[in-house]
Amino acid sequence: MDFQQSRTYVNLQDAFEGELISGGKYQIYGIRAREEGYIQIGNVYDIISHWELQHAIIWLRLLNGGTLPTTLENLVSSAQSESVDGNTTYREYARVAREEGFDAIAALFDGVANIELNHDLIFQDFAEDIVNNEVFCKPNEVLWICINCGNIMGGLCAPEICPICGFPQGYYQLYDTMF
């Protein structure tokens, strides 16, 4: 039997989506609990949200034949999803809301659609950086900031190791994207 045509595969997809929804919902519930002064309950929601997302990782790995997609694959997929949300899904939701007389909600759908299109561009830019090997090195000198300690350095490439906190290059990003 072809695994992708099996009911087990469909169940894995449902389990993956369910864990993602629960994980995200519990993050929101944790925020709300802390807003109401229930810090311990908020922290418990954060912990359980993390566990739910770990379950989602298990199901995603199985859906992908035992491995997780690469960051480049994730960026391309994410850009496509954000583009569809920004150009199609939320525009349709806005149209329906306007048609039904919910103009304020329609405006929110349109506003979020624009944000989704910005996310699409962000993901595309990072994917290009990976393809062009420009995540940590640029063709012109730029400012880099260590997101662990705040050290700022100029150069073509981010330092391999932060000279202040000792964290690896992965903790550096372009300074102008920090704020």
Side-chain angles (χ1 to χ4, degrees):
M1 171 177 261
D2 180 25
F3 179 59
Q4 292 187 348
Q5 301 302 316
S6 71
R7 289 186 319 197
T8 298
Y9 188 84
V10 171
N11 289 342
L12 283 171
Q13 288 177 315
D14 289 346
F16 172 68
E17 291 171 11
E19 296 289 352
L20 286 179
I21 290 168
S22 292
K25 183 171 55 174
Y26 293 163
Q27 286 178 340
I28 293 168
Y29 291 175
I31 291 167
R32 183 64 180 141
R34 279 187 287 286
E35 288 173 350
E36 293 177 356
Y38 302 115
I39 307 307
Q40 180 184 17
I41 294 170
N43 292 342
V44 167
Y45 269 119
D46 288 347
I47 291 166
I48 293 174
S49 171
H50 174 79
W51 291 340
E52 296 293 307
L53 294 175
Q54 292 306 307
H55 301 160
I57 290 170
I58 293 167
W59 306 142
L60 181 60
R61 187 174 280 122
L62 289 170
L63 286 166
N64 285 294
T67 63
L68 293 175
T70 67
T71 298
L72 180 58
E73 291 168 331
N74 290 335
L75 287 166
V76 169
S77 172
S78 298
Q80 290 168 346
S81 293
E82 296 294 316
S83 178
V84 169
D85 287 347
N87 286 313
T88 307
T89 306
Y90 283 123
R91 299 298 180 200
E92 175 62 12
Y93 292 170
R95 186 193 64 75
V96 169
R98 269 191 296 284
E99 186 177 282
E100 295 177 339
F102 300 109
D103 292 339
I105 294 173
L108 290 173
F109 279 133
D110 279 330
V112 170
N114 293 336
I115 294 167
E116 299 294 313
L117 292 174
N118 187 51
H119 296 166
D120 171 23
L121 293 174
I122 291 167
F123 290 138
Q124 285 184 44
D125 286 347
F126 277 124
E128 272 184 42
D129 283 349
I130 288 176
V131 168
N132 296 327
N133 198 27
E134 292 182 0
V135 174
F136 299 113
C137 289
K138 300 296 179 188
N140 301 309
E141 287 210 9
V142 294
L143 289 178
W144 301 94
I145 185 167
C146 175
I147 58 174
N148 181 62
C149 73
N151 182 47
I152 299 171
M153 298 189 69
L156 293 174
C157 297
E160 290 186 26
I161 302 291
C162 177
I164 304 300
C165 68
F167 272 55
Q169 189 177 53
Y171 283 83
Y172 272 88
Q173 68 181 50
L174 289 176
Y175 180 75
D176 64 354
T177 60
M178 184 72 180
F179 301 104

